[in-house]
């Protein structure tokens, strides 16, 4: 009795309609249409969507809002100088405000991409350690990725988000190698590319995954320490400009000012 009910046309048709409507609501057709109609400062809509994905914004709504901000911010930042200033300074301030409003979304996007890449690089060593622990405890590689993504969702949300997307693609039926390659393309991080290449070779030749991940974790941790040491070595050079232009003038005024006043007093009294 259940088989005719499940295979009958009356019950199958509504199920298909619901699935199609649910899938059609995912890409946001209204925002996609608006995004394709708006000009973008990133060259093409495809490039903008790719950069938005690297920044952690996967919806078409975010890309459309960035395109709108590129159009509206120059107008909003260029109007106040027109009403508040007068003379030639008005036009200079208007041009500066318009240029700032036009370039601000691009700067924000570039900075967000850089921060996410740094977060993924810093969290990769810990993620590999968690994977090794899960594999040695008897879990499969898919279960290890799931557990790692859940544990790193708080400390490194960018890496946890990418691992969640990776496991969702594999659960949806995408081949593991293609899912790993998509993981490397979405992050654009050299350490992740090396990890994906190692996992692909391990999957092809059937070598020990835990040993390969342990070796990759050591390499990733060494690179993280080297990056920290490199930033520490750059601190001295970066402090030169604040010291020369901000601290030294005030120091000279405090130290040499009284002596200068004494010299001037002595010379004026001598005359």
């Amino acid at each position: 009795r259940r088989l005719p009910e499940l295979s009958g046309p009356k019950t199958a048709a509504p199920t298909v309609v619901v699935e199609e409507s649910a899938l059609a609501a995912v890409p946001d057709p209204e925002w996609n249409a608006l995004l394709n109609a708006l000009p973008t400062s990133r060259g093409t809509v495809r490039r903008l969507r790719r950069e938005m994905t690297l920044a952690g914004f996967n919806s078409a709504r975010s890309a459309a809002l960035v395109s709108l901000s590129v159009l509206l911010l120059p107008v909003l930042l260029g109007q106040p100088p027109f009403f508040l200033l007068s003379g030639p300074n008005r036009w200079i301030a208007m041009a500066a405000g318009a240029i700032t409003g036009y370039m601000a979304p691009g700067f924000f996007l570039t900075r967000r991409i850089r921060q996410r890449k740094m977060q993924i690089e810093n969290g990769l060593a810990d993620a590999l350690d968690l994977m090794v622990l899960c594999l040695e405890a008897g879990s499969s590689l898919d279960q290890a990725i799931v557990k790692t993504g859940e544990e790193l969702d708080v400390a490194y949300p960018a890496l946890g988000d990418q691992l969640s997307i990776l496991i969702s693609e594999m659960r949806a039926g995408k081949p593991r190698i293609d899912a790993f390659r998509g993981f490397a393309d979405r992050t654009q991080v050299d350490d992740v590319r090396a990890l994906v290449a190692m996992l692909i070779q391990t999957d092809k030749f059937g070598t020990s995954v835990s040993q390969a991940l342990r070796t990759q974790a050591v390499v990733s941790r060494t690179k993280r320490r080297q990056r920290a040491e490199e930033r520490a070595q750059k601190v001295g050079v970066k402090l030169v400009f604040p010291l020369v232009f901000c601290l030294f003038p005030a120091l000279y005024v405090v130290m040499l000012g009284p002596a200068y006043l004494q010299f001037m007093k002595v010379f004026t009294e001598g005359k």
Side-chain angles (χ1 to χ4, degrees), residues 13 19-20 32 51 62 93 122 146 184 189 211:
E19 290 179 357
E20 289 181 354
N32 276 325
E51 291 184 357
S62 302
N122 293 333
V146 172
V189 177
Q211 183 62 34

Side-chain angles (χ1 to χ4, degrees), residues 108-211:
F108 167 75
L109 202 59
T110 304
R111 187 171 182 272
R112 180 65 183 265
I113 292 173
R114 188 184 302 113
Q115 288 179 347
R116 283 181 63 87
K117 286 184 177 180
M118 185 179 298
Q119 189 178 113
I120 292 173
E121 288 177 350
N122 293 333
L124 189 60
D126 297 336
L128 294 177
D129 289 336
L130 287 174
M131 287 185 188
V132 171
L133 289 175
C134 294
L135 291 173
E136 291 180 348
S139 301
S140 63
L141 182 59
D142 297 349
Q143 294 173 346
I145 294 175
V146 172
K147 187 63 176 177
T148 302
E150 293 175 355
E151 294 294 334
L152 294 178
D153 199 18
V154 177
Y156 304 101
L159 183 57
D161 183 37
Q162 293 299 325
L163 291 177
S164 299
I165 296 175
L166 172 63
I167 199 63
S168 298
E169 289 181 348
M170 288 193 292
R171 285 176 176 176
K174 193 172 184 179
R176 180 179 294 177
I177 295 178
D178 295 339
F180 285 153
R181 288 173 179 168
F183 175 48
D185 292 336
R186 286 192 305 270
T187 56
Q188 295 291 318
V189 177
D190 294 335
D191 293 343
V192 175
R193 290 174 179 170
L195 172 64
V196 168
M198 182 270 298
L199 289 175
I200 291 174
Q201 295 295 327
T202 303
D203 187 71
K204 283 184 178 180
F205 298 107
T207 56
S208 176
V209 179
S210 60
Q211 183 62 34

Side-chain angles (χ1 to χ4, degrees), residues 81-82 84-96:
F82 180 79
L84 299 177
L85 301 177
S86 61
N89 294 330
R90 171 192 295 177
W91 306 105
I92 296 175
M94 286 179 60

Side-chain angles (χ1 to χ4, degrees), residues 36-76:
N36 294 325
L38 292 173
T40 175
S41 62
R42 316 307 290 178
T44 60
V45 176
R46 184 176 181 180
R47 181 185 174 187
L48 176 62
R49 291 293 299 269
R50 182 175 179 82
E51 291 184 357
M52 294 295 294
T53 303
L54 291 175
F57 304 104
N58 298 320
S59 62
R61 177 182 178 182
S62 302
L65 291 177
V66 169
S67 297
L68 282 175
S69 64
V70 171
L71 296 177
L72 296 179
L73 282 179
V75 179
L76 295 177

